[in-house]
């Protein structure tokens, strides 16, 4: 199933800050689930790379936000639409 495939993708990712940020962000995980569903099990490496790219973006956005480092990708997108 897609959720099992996503779990396999996340489990196979290198254990680092980028993966940790991806695992803990609801929107990044939803992106992964949608991408697994769209691409299927043959392209899990691409799913993993997409998760890591979004996670690195989130980490950079957190570094540039002096108010809090606990923001989620959803928070960042919400702020961008409000501005």
């Amino acid at each position: 199933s897609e959720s099992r495939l996503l779990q396999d993708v996340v489990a196979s990712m290198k254990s680092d800050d980028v993966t940790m940020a991806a695992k803990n962000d609801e929107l990044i995980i939803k992106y992964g689930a949608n991408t697994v569903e769209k691409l299927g099990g043959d392209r899990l490496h691409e799913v993993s790379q997409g998760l890591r790219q979004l996670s690195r973006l989130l980490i950079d956005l957190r570094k540039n936000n002096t108010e809090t480092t606990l923001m989620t990708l959803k928070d960042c997108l919400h702020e961008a639409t409000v501005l």
Side-chain angles (χ1 to χ4, degrees), residues 42-72:
D42 296 334
R43 296 169 64 187
L44 296 181
H45 181 72
E46 291 176 50
V47 176
S48 169
Q49 292 306 303
L51 293 173
R52 291 185 63 79
Q53 286 175 339
L54 285 173
S55 186
R56 283 191 290 273
L57 172 65
L58 177 60
I59 290 168
D60 285 346
L61 290 168
R62 285 176 176 167
K63 285 179 185 173
N64 291 323
N65 183 335
T66 55
E67 293 175 25
T68 179
T69 59
L70 300 176
M71 66 192 324
T72 65

Side-chain angles (χ1 to χ4, degrees), residues 7-63:
Q7 289 174 0
D8 291 346
V9 168
V10 173
S12 72
M13 291 167 65
K14 181 170 70 171
S15 182
D16 61 7
D17 291 345
V18 175
T19 297
M20 189 60 66
K23 283 183 182 179
N24 292 316
D25 191 87
E26 178 186 357
L27 198 56
I28 293 175
I29 292 299
K30 283 183 178 182
Y31 165 83
N34 287 339
T35 307
V36 164
E37 187 177 326
K38 193 183 324 183
L39 298 180
D42 296 334
R43 296 169 64 187
L44 296 181
H45 181 72
E46 291 176 50
V47 176
S48 169
Q49 292 306 303
L51 293 173
R52 291 185 63 79
Q53 286 175 339
L54 285 173
S55 186
R56 283 191 290 273
L57 172 65
L58 177 60
I59 290 168
D60 285 346
L61 290 168
R62 285 176 176 167
K63 285 179 185 173

